[in-house]
Amino acid sequence: MSLPPVHRSNRLALRVALCSLIAAPLLAARHASAQSQNPGSITPSPPGYKEYVAILGTPIGSLPPLATYTLTGLAQRSPEVVARYGFVEDMALPLAPDSGGHDAHSLSSFALTGVFPIDLGGTVSLTLGLSNQQCSGCTGARFMGSLDGDYRLWSTAIDNAANARRFTVAVNGGIGVGNPATGTAWTGNVGFPLSFTVGAESGTQVIPFITPNVVLVTTSGSSESDAIHSLRGAITGGALLFNAKSELGASVGIMYIFVPKTQVGLGVSLSYGGR
């Protein structure tokens, strides 16, 4: 399969965009670390819960991960639209007592993402969506959005050409915003997707993937004593159904933020375009 010619301007634009997305959370981590030592700040109880709620208010925590062409080993040739739905059954579980019940507090999130190719091995994407907390006293749907990018670092065949088994390593990063109960929340994340392609190139392939992430979260719009400035680990993953001859694609995904007693979020995505 022949690939379109690579233009230096496209490569330069991709590198600038990805460097900005990836470097921003890392540079801001020093500020977050200093803020976390501020004696005026409040330590959430249970530990990490406020950070958890803030991250859930943005796409990195509430939506299934993007499974872009970067994971397939192929170049994306045209824009792609992805509809994404995520669900967390009980985001209030960390508040539950050791014995006795509690009021469940679920979260449903929906978004549309536009994915645009830059260079042969990378994409930039824009996400706009809503997160809806479902419980007594909740205020309903809230806006969220993000700007993300990824780039294929390394891809190698691990079987013969007919089976097309391939292992791929990529890097991604993003900046997200939302408005959960903790106040306006901003997140920046850096991750390293690992994917494994199974199936013949001429048919439908299954591509399982997993991405360890570092997430910087900070909030505004509340008093400094209640503000959040923190780094958290997260992991996302899933499986993509991909056919190089089809404009349609689908994936299932999981999202987990490393805070005690939290649940794994689940999600599905449907995509069109890219070929």
Side-chain angles (χ1 to χ4, degrees), residues 23-105:
L26 294 177
L27 292 175
R30 179 179 297 180
H31 172 72
S33 177
Q35 290 287 350
S36 66
Q37 301 300 320
N38 186 346
S41 62
I42 294 178
T43 302
S45 181
Y49 184 68
K50 282 189 176 182
E51 292 95 322
Y52 171 66
V53 172
I55 295 171
L56 282 183
T58 66
I60 181 64
S62 60
L63 292 174
L66 275 175
T68 67
Y69 276 71
T70 302
L71 302 183
T72 69
L74 300 178
Q76 182 177 332
R77 297 178 174 179
S78 64
E80 181 183 29
V81 177
V82 185
R84 303 160 70 191
Y85 172 77
F87 179 72
V88 178
E89 183 177 4
D90 187 4
M91 58 186 290
L93 186 60
L95 300 177
D98 294 335
S99 61
H102 71 287
D103 294 329
H105 188 161

Side-chain angles (χ1 to χ4, degrees), residues 167-258:
F167 178 70
T168 301
V169 180
V171 60
N172 64 18
I175 298 173
V177 64
N179 189 32
T182 53
T184 301
W186 293 86
T187 55
N189 71 283
V190 177
F192 292 91
L194 310 173
S195 65
F196 181 73
T197 302
V198 180
E201 291 182 350
S202 59
T204 299
Q205 298 175 312
V206 179
I207 306 177
F209 62 95
I210 189 168
T211 307
N213 292 273
V214 175
V215 183
L216 167 69
V217 58
T218 185
T219 60
S220 59
S222 58
S223 65
E224 180 59 29
S225 62
D226 292 328
I228 298 168
H229 311 284
S230 179
L231 283 171
R232 281 284 162 184
I235 192 164
T236 60
L240 167 67
L241 290 178
F242 177 79
N243 190 316
K245 299 179 181 180
S246 175
E247 297 276 357
L248 296 174
S251 66
V252 295
I254 62 169
M255 311 80 72
Y256 183 74
I257 303 165
F258 287 102

Side-chain angles (χ1 to χ4, degrees), residues 1 20 23 29-30 40 65 71 96 110 116 143 154 163 165 169 172 174 237:
M1 181 182 297
S20 299
R30 179 179 297 180
L71 302 183
F110 174 80
F116 307 93
F143 167 81
W154 180 66
N163 290 330
R165 291 177 181 164
V169 180
N172 64 18

Side-chain angles (χ1 to χ4, degrees), residues 103-117:
D103 294 329
H105 188 161
S106 64
L107 178 72
S108 297
S109 303
F110 174 80
L112 289 176
T113 300
V115 184
F116 307 93

